[in-house]
């Protein structure tokens, strides 16, 4: 049997929106590499508890706990970080991942749907990154545990660069995330904080079910993917573990696209 990696042993991670899809896969992957994990959720506590128990029960993994928090609410985010530090002692890795879509043609988009997407996808990531940096600075370096003061890994999207008709709120939130992530890097890299993003392409999760749950929809989707398969959450989990580990120590202020080539303009394969 292959020996498991333990690149994150002794470290603690918070993964937001970890009761489904990409967040769940990242939480499990970080746990398998030895990290303690906070499985953040908004609803369905039983699902989050089950994921946390699965990580804890695996002898090869770190310990996991589930914490409820709406990432768009400042007081709830602060409370989640406080509970994490009380339970695990500190925090080393923050993965602001929670996100949602409220799609509409722009001329029909309600202000509340614009605001909700920005509140969760952008402000929620700011609130989590801010609490993480506060804890990294308070605690200081942990020699022998990690070469960095702390790691932040934002879940962005290919729509941080690909415009998306009918989803202007979502694309704007992910576009904003680029400048948030890069500004955090510029500001805190001197203190040895690493801040990067993962930009997934089409990954098979509940958020985009309509795009993959019929053979016709999947065939249409595959036209946008040079690699000709939809991604799975584990594709993102393994990238997140690498970004959290010392193997990527010199990677900072970067977006890693995990998209099967979606950002390589597949429409130009036979045209233009
Ligand atoms: P998902 O719907 O399975 O996961 C999103 C999670 O965020 C859910 O668990 C949901 O409960 C949680 N959430 C929503 N609002 C929240 C709030 N206010 N507070 C806390 N949690 C909240 O979808 P996913 O595909 O796993 O999405 C995860 C991230 O990946 C999102 O940021 C999404 O934009 C991004 N993404 C997904 C894809 C894809 O193809 N699936 C592609 C690019 C980017």
């Amino acid at each position: 049997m292959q020996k498991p990696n333990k690149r994150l042993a002794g470290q603690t991670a918070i993964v937001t929106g970890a009761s489904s899809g990409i967040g769940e896969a990242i939480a499990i992957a970080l746990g398998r590499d030895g990290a303690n994990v906070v499985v953040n959720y908004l609803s369905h506590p039983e699902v989050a508890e089950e994921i946390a128990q699965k990580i804890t029960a695996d002898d090869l993994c770190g310990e996991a706990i589930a914490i409820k928090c709406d990432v768009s609410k400042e007081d709830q985010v602060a409370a989640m970080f406080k509970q994490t530090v009380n339970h695990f002692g500190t925090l080393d890795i923050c993965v602001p991942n929670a996100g949602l879509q409220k799609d509409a043609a722009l001329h029909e988009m309600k202000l509340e749907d614009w605001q909700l997407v920005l509140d969760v996808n952008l402000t929620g990531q700011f609130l989590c990154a801010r609490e993480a940096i506060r804890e990294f600075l308070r605690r200081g370096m942990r020699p022998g545990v990690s070469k960095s003061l702390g790691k932040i890994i934002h879940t962005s999207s290919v729509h941080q660069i690909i415009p998306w008709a009918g989803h202007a709120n979502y694309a704007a939130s992910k576009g904003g995330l680029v400048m948030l992530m890069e500004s955090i890097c510029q500001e805190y890299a001197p203190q040895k904080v690493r801040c990067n993003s993962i930009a997934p392409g089409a990954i098979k999760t509940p958020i985009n079910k309509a795009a993959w749950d019929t053979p016709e929809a999947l065939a249409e989707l595959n036209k946008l993917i040079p690699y000709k398969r939809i991604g799975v959450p584990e594709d993102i989990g393994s990238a997140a573990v690498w970004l959290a580990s010392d193997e990527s120590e010199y990677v900072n202020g970067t977006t890693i696209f995990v998209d099967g080539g979606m950002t390589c303009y597949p429409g130009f394969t036979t045209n233009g």
Side-chain angles (χ1 to χ4, degrees):
M1 210 177 90
Q2 206 187 353
K3 234 176 135 194
N5 282 313
K6 284 287 171 224
R7 288 171 288 186
L8 307 176
Q11 300 190 46
T12 294
I14 289 180
V15 184
T16 68
S19 60
S20 64
I22 290 171
E24 175 181 352
I26 292 175
I28 290 170
L30 294 173
R32 289 227 172 102
D33 242 88
N36 298 318
V37 186
V38 170
V39 177
N40 159 252
Y41 67 95
L42 181 64
S43 55
H44 303 296
E46 66 293 347
V47 180
E49 288 293 349
E50 200 183 313
I51 294 164
Q53 278 165 21
K54 207 165 94 184
I55 295 171
T56 304
D58 189 332
D59 288 342
L60 302 175
C61 293
E63 183 198 341
I65 58 170
I67 301 182
K68 180 178 165 73
C69 157
D70 179 338
V71 298
S72 67
K73 302 284 186 295
E74 186 177 27
D75 56 338
Q76 293 187 31
V77 172
M80 173 171 68
F81 277 73
K82 195 164 178 234
Q83 196 181 332
T84 301
V85 173
N86 284 345
H87 188 90
F88 289 116
T90 188
L91 177 82
D92 305 277
I93 302 156
C94 175
V95 187
N97 163 81
L100 46 74
Q101 290 178 216
K102 286 281 172 193
D103 309 331
L106 191 87
H107 68 284
E108 289 169 348
M109 191 175 283
K110 293 188 200 126
L111 177 59
E112 66 198 66
D113 287 346
W114 167 270
Q115 198 62 58
L116 176 64
V117 171
L118 269 290
D119 283 352
V120 175
N121 295 12
L122 187 56
T123 305
Q125 299 228 6
F126 153 71
L127 290 171
C128 291
R130 186 182 67 174
E131 288 303 320
I133 290 167
R134 286 175 175 169
E135 173 56 18
F136 300 159
L137 295 174
R138 181 200 68 77
R139 184 209 56 231
M141 294 295 287
R142 301 180 76 203
V145 176
S146 172
K147 290 181 180 166
S148 306
L149 184 70
K151 284 88 51 155
I152 299 168
I153 303 163
H154 296 280
T155 304
S156 182
S157 164
V158 289
H159 294 296
Q160 71 170 42
I161 56 168
I162 302 178
W164 207 12
H167 307 73
N169 47 1
Y170 184 84
S173 73
K174 298 299 186 179
L177 207 44
V178 180
M179 281 297 121
L180 174 65
M181 178 276 287
E182 293 183 5
S183 299
I184 291 173
C185 167
Q186 196 187 62
E187 194 166 345
Y188 294 99
Q191 281 101 322
K192 296 246 178 295
V193 172
R194 291 200 295 118
C195 186
N196 294 289
S197 292
I198 298 176
I203 310 295
K204 196 173 179 181
T205 75
I207 209 173
N208 57 358
K209 193 164 185 287
W212 51 260
D213 73 344
T214 65
E216 297 75 31
L218 196 55
E220 272 308 302
L221 183 63
N222 270 328
K223 289 182 189 166
L224 300 175
I225 308 172
Y227 201 63
K228 299 299 168 208
R229 80 156 166 85
I230 189 169
V232 290
E234 292 72 22
D235 291 322
I236 310 301
S238 52
V241 172
W242 181 75
L243 272 179
S245 78
D246 280 347
E247 286 175 15
S248 61
E249 193 207 348
Y250 206 52
V251 178
N252 208 348
T254 291
T255 299
I256 298 195
F257 288 84
V258 183
D259 67 353
M262 186 180 255
T263 35
C264 291
Y265 299 99
F268 279 79
T269 306
T270 55
N271 204 347

